[in-house]
Amino acid sequence: MTLLAVERMKLLTTRSPWWCAALALALTIGFAALMAATADARVPVTVGASQFGYTFGMVVVMVMAALAITTEYRFGTMRATFLAAPNRTPVLFAKTAVVALVAGVIGEVAAFGSWGITKLLAPNADLALQTPYEWRAVAGVGLVYAVAAVLAVGVGALVRQSAGAISILLIWSFLVESLVQLIPRVGDDIHRWLPFTMADKLITGDPDPSGRDVVYGPPPSDAALGPWPALLYFAGVAALVFAAAVVTTNRRDA
């Protein structure tokens, strides 16, 4: 409990997590407001469309998670932490738990905030949360953000440099997984098993029941697994990266 309290204070008493949280909320809710404001009878707004900006918020949350550990290496506070708590594994687990919890809360606030602003701007739209798809599209965002934060902490602990860790996370999520599809014959098959494609399955795994064109909302994921198995797959990838970070951190100097 002491380590958790320490990590909570270190995270919440610095400015960057608050700025990242504000930016993540602004992006996701702002995109939802834009989708609602541009909707019409031909292109109705839906629950799925209200979460159009969730991936942008997820990237900001991963930046926050990576900075939570890389800045400690940059300013040397990680060395002091390891001197106070020589067993490094519980330190990493405590930091990751706190960051993941904060990321999950940001995700839920962003998702329900996006849904709420959509209902406010489009009061006549059918935005009831009734089907499993609709509940996953909103409530599932916090789960995806939490797992993504664990992955980002793992990458940050492995790289130990803010610019490097953030670059890896951004390039992988925005470029690599899309460019893989350009590989002849096997590109699409590989893409269906990539981690962020799997994460997207929980939110957009089923077709939008309104039949809304994908141009006006998040396209359905083509992941090879169902929504919940896909989330477990994404969590497994995050766990492997985090485990590698724990082993590496215990073997090298602080």
Side-chain angles (χ1 to χ4, degrees), residues 61 99-109 141-143 145-146 149:
V61 165
V99 173
L101 179 60
V102 171
V105 171
I106 293 173
E108 293 301 316
V109 173
V141 173
L143 296 175
Y145 278 23

Side-chain angles (χ1 to χ4, degrees), residues 68-136:
I69 191 164
T70 56
T71 52
E72 289 215 53
Y73 282 109
R74 178 185 176 187
F75 294 108
T77 56
M78 185 62 80
R79 182 170 300 175
T81 299
F82 287 155
L83 286 174
N87 190 350
R88 299 178 180 184
T89 300
V91 173
L92 291 179
F93 271 94
K95 179 179 292 294
T96 305
V98 171
V99 173
L101 179 60
V102 171
V105 171
I106 293 173
E108 293 301 316
V109 173
F112 281 96
S114 298
W115 176 71
I117 195 69
T118 303
K119 283 182 66 70
L120 181 65
L121 296 178
N124 296 323
D126 182 11
L127 297 171
L129 300 179
Q130 297 176 329
T131 67
Y133 160 73
E134 290 165 338
W135 274 106
R136 286 199 316 272

Side-chain angles (χ1 to χ4, degrees), residues 19-213:
W19 281 110
C20 288
L23 181 57
L25 294 175
L27 284 172
T28 53
I29 297 175
F31 270 108
L34 180 63
M35 297 300 292
T38 57
D40 54 32
R42 182 178 60 88
V43 187
V45 68
T46 64
V47 172
S50 72
Q51 304 304 314
F52 182 78
Y54 97 93
T55 53
F56 299 101
M58 180 180 67
V59 170
V60 177
V61 165
M62 289 195 297
V63 170
M64 177 198 74
L67 289 175
I69 191 164
T70 56
T71 52
E72 289 215 53
Y73 282 109
R74 178 185 176 187
F75 294 108
T77 56
M78 185 62 80
R79 182 170 300 175
T81 299
F82 287 155
L83 286 174
N87 190 350
R88 299 178 180 184
T89 300
V91 173
L92 291 179
F93 271 94
K95 179 179 292 294
T96 305
V98 171
V99 173
L101 179 60
V102 171
V105 171
I106 293 173
E108 293 301 316
V109 173
F112 281 96
S114 298
W115 176 71
I117 195 69
T118 303
K119 283 182 66 70
L120 181 65
L121 296 178
N124 296 323
D126 182 11
L127 297 171
L129 300 179
Q130 297 176 329
T131 67
Y133 160 73
E134 290 165 338
W135 274 106
R136 286 199 316 272
V138 180
V141 173
L143 296 175
V144 172
Y145 278 23
V147 177
V150 174
L151 176 63
V153 171
V155 171
L158 287 170
V159 178
R160 300 204 297 185
Q161 293 182 347
S162 298
I166 292 171
S167 297
I168 290 172
L169 293 167
L170 293 181
I171 291 172
W172 183 268
S173 59
F174 275 136
L175 291 179
V176 172
E177 294 206 1
S178 297
L179 294 177
V180 162
Q181 294 176 286
L182 300 179
I183 301 174
R185 291 191 296 275
V186 299
D188 289 337
D189 292 331
I190 295 174
H191 180 261
R192 297 176 66 206
W193 290 95
L194 294 179
F196 288 102
T197 302
M198 288 290 185
D200 196 41
K201 186 75 171 184
L202 184 72
I203 311 301
T204 65
D206 294 331
D208 192 323
S210 71
R212 182 189 184 96
D213 194 297

